[in-house]
Amino acid sequence: MRLLFAHKFTEENYFIRCVRFNMSRSNLFWLLLFCYNILRVNTQCEIAQVCVTDISASDCFGIEQLIPNSIVHGCCPSCKQSTEDDPQTQGCDPNVSNCLPDGRYAPVQCKGDRFTGRCFCSDPKGRRIFGQMWRDQAQNMTCACSRRRAELEAEGKVVTLHCSANGDYEQLQCNSGMCWCAQARDGQPIVTPVHEEDMERLPCYSAAVIGEQYLRKCESLSIANGFIRYEQTTHGTNYLGNLASTCDYDGSYGPIQILNGIAYCTGRDGKILGAWQTPVNTMQGMNCNCARDNMIFFPERGMTLTETCQANGNYSPKQSAGSVDYCVDSDGYQTKVLDEPGECPSHATT
């Protein structure tokens, strides 16, 4: 018999792990609800987990095919006839990207060399999301938190999970009224979850780091505006507030803020960076990657950015170094050298 085992808790024993916490009956309902929600979001195999098996395509008979990520919570392969419900290739090219067995982009994508290269967090379609590290420091980077937040937000949910700068989970997590101390790699609780108003009781809580409330300034404004907009829309009135407070997954301000019809590149504190801006009606595809690299990420490493930025804070697709022209991607990394005079393709908008 072949060994098929995934390095993760099953739903059943994880549920037992949840309900065995010592707590009063008054909180049992909330804990069961919390455990249920955790189970719902942990039914897929995490990137850091692998299936222990020696099964291969040669073990499949007849018209059967080896289908990756098809059993044991999506962690293990199996032999079966291919159907429309089986995982399909998502377009990730393993020659240029880090891909999962089912063809999706892996959460961590790396570019460049060991000194100037970086690793970024990615959604399943290869689009960059919050979370990055310099390549020589990214050995343990998983992007588990950023990937999960992106998935939940794509479903239209309001999410307050906090991710660290590298896309992993911060130690203190609160969501849906419950707080817990989490493992960085998967967000699972390591102590008894408590109501948000009791988060000071958690061993991972620090008043100096967290403050009096879990939500940070940008999140508080964004979520408050969202609820006000929802209430006014529900009652048939127009929302006239500011819709442009975008936040990163660590609760800081996102790279773009809108003020009086102008989209500005901003730092983590919400302050405008340089003169990078564009009218709202031309901001499609704006990411401010170059502006933030120029003003934040490269200086933090003691480096100076040599590439040029467009007026909206994006990297200019065509760059020059002396007499050599070359093309870069939206993260500023070289894609090809121009042997003849010409232009570089514009970066795809998302």
Side-chain angles (χ1 to χ4, degrees), residues 149-199:
R149 270 202 62 153
E151 292 172 348
L152 293 172
E153 290 179 351
E155 297 172 3
K157 297 179 179 178
V158 176
V159 188
T160 58
L161 297 174
H162 280 166
C163 306
S164 58
N166 66 352
D168 291 350
Y169 286 89
E170 287 190 1
Q171 193 172 18
L172 176 64
Q173 296 292 333
C174 294
N175 200 45
S176 301
M178 298 294 291
C179 296
W180 66 99
C181 296
Q183 298 182 36
R185 295 179 68 85
D186 56 20
Q188 293 184 3
I190 57 177
V191 297
T192 307
V194 300
H195 288 292
E196 187 168 342
E197 59 266 26
D198 296 324
M199 69 176 180

Side-chain angles (χ1 to χ4, degrees), residues 134-276:
W134 294 98
R135 193 161 189 167
D136 60 356
Q137 301 171 352
Q139 294 85 351
N140 298 318
M141 181 180 182
T142 69
C143 293
C145 179
S146 291
R147 173 65 72 92
R148 188 59 195 147
R149 270 202 62 153
E151 292 172 348
L152 293 172
E153 290 179 351
E155 297 172 3
K157 297 179 179 178
V158 176
V159 188
T160 58
L161 297 174
H162 280 166
C163 306
S164 58
N166 66 352
D168 291 350
Y169 286 89
E170 287 190 1
Q171 193 172 18
L172 176 64
Q173 296 292 333
C174 294
N175 200 45
S176 301
M178 298 294 291
C179 296
W180 66 99
C181 296
Q183 298 182 36
R185 295 179 68 85
D186 56 20
Q188 293 184 3
I190 57 177
V191 297
T192 307
V194 300
H195 288 292
E196 187 168 342
E197 59 266 26
D198 296 324
M199 69 176 180
E200 294 87 352
R201 295 165 46 194
L202 293 171
C204 58
Y205 171 80
S206 170
V209 176
I210 306 300
E212 296 182 356
Q213 65 176 29
Y214 174 76
L215 292 180
R216 287 149 191 172
K217 183 178 180 180
C218 181
E219 292 176 303
S220 297
L221 292 172
S222 180
I223 292 175
N225 283 335
F227 280 122
I228 293 172
R229 182 172 69 252
Y230 172 79
E231 289 294 330
Q232 289 191 329
T233 302
T234 301
H235 291 84
T237 58
N238 294 324
Y239 177 71
L240 301 178
N242 180 18
L243 298 174
S245 294
T246 60
C247 309
D248 273 335
Y249 290 177
D250 61 354
S252 64
Y253 284 89
I256 303 170
Q257 304 297 326
I258 299 174
L259 181 64
N260 298 325
I262 303 295
Y264 296 92
C265 292
T266 55
R268 291 178 291 229
D269 57 1
K271 295 181 180 179
I272 295 173
L273 298 176
W276 293 290

Side-chain angles (χ1 to χ4, degrees), residues 11 21 61 74 105 107 113 138 207 222 269 309 324 330:
E11 293 185 12
F21 285 130
F61 297 95
Y105 285 84
D113 57 35
S222 180
D269 57 1
C309 306
V324 178
S330 59

Side-chain angles (χ1 to χ4, degrees), residues 61-83:
F61 297 95
I63 61 174
E64 290 184 335
Q65 298 180 14
L66 184 68
I67 306 299
N69 307 99
S70 54
I71 59 174
V72 191
H73 302 290
C75 288
C76 294
S78 66
C79 290
K80 61 179 181 178
Q81 296 182 23
S82 179
T83 68

